[in-house]
Amino acid sequence: MKTIILRWNPSFSSYTMSDFLNTIKYGRMEGHAEINWSVWEHEKVEEGDRFYFLKLGPNGTGIVGVGTVMGKAYAGEDWTGKGRKTYYADFSFEMAINPDALPIITIPMLEGRIPDVDWRMGHSGEYLGEADALKLETLWEAYLDEHERLFTDKDDNLSRNNDYIYWDI
């Protein structure tokens, strides 16, 4: 299993913050949350790879989701409309977090723990080396442990129709 970073800046992406919140909301209602996403290193994409969804841009930047790759990459229409050759893969969230409502692993935290990765710039669909992937998974596990009670409370005390958290862990 490899680890891929999906970078997302809702300031210019065709996938808006509203779309992300709907992914959380409908994921809760339907029992699964899935997206397709453009990937740069498309030739490396394998079913079962781990992904981290990294929000960039203004406000609430950091890891807002994690999950698994559902299959190999495939060619598709360029989401920017510029006619570039673009590849996509399908992804299933295990967890998606509204960064305006709950704590996330922020970019400064990532930079402090995994300084060899440029967390603020780069293409979406970048694979991490094994050492950095292990550091990120360790950081993620510590984050889950630290906030488990908060996530459980939010999950238990809210209807399935909310946009705070999708959690299938």
Side-chain angles (χ1 to χ4, degrees), residues 78-91:
D78 181 4
W79 66 270
T80 67
K82 296 178 182 175
R84 298 177 299 186
K85 192 167 198 165
T86 305
Y87 290 85
Y88 297 87
D90 296 325
F91 300 89

Side-chain angles (χ1 to χ4, degrees), residues 4-107:
I4 186 171
I5 302 300
L6 303 180
R7 288 182 174 86
W8 167 53
N9 188 332
S11 299
F12 62 81
S13 175
S14 63
Y15 186 71
T16 66
M17 187 63 177
S18 179
D19 293 331
F20 180 66
L21 297 179
N22 280 332
T23 297
I24 293 171
K25 179 179 176 179
Y26 295 115
R28 290 180 61 81
M29 291 174 14
E30 297 170 7
H32 60 90
E34 299 170 357
I35 59 171
N36 70 348
W37 205 256
S38 62
V39 289
W40 182 260
E41 295 183 65
H42 58 88
E43 67 284 348
K44 294 181 181 180
V45 174
E46 296 285 338
E47 184 173 349
D49 286 350
R50 184 102 165 131
F51 80 87
Y52 288 87
F53 201 55
L54 178 65
K55 181 181 178 288
L56 301 172
N59 306 320
T61 59
I63 302 293
V64 296
V66 65
T68 55
V69 177
M70 295 172 56
K72 291 197 171 283
Y74 51 89
E77 189 174 321
D78 181 4
W79 66 270
T80 67
K82 296 178 182 175
R84 298 177 299 186
K85 192 167 198 165
T86 305
Y87 290 85
Y88 297 87
D90 296 325
F91 300 89
S92 179
F93 281 103
E94 293 170 8
M95 187 171 203
I97 305 157
N98 179 341
D100 296 329
L102 293 168
I104 61 172
I105 298 174
T106 65
I107 287 181

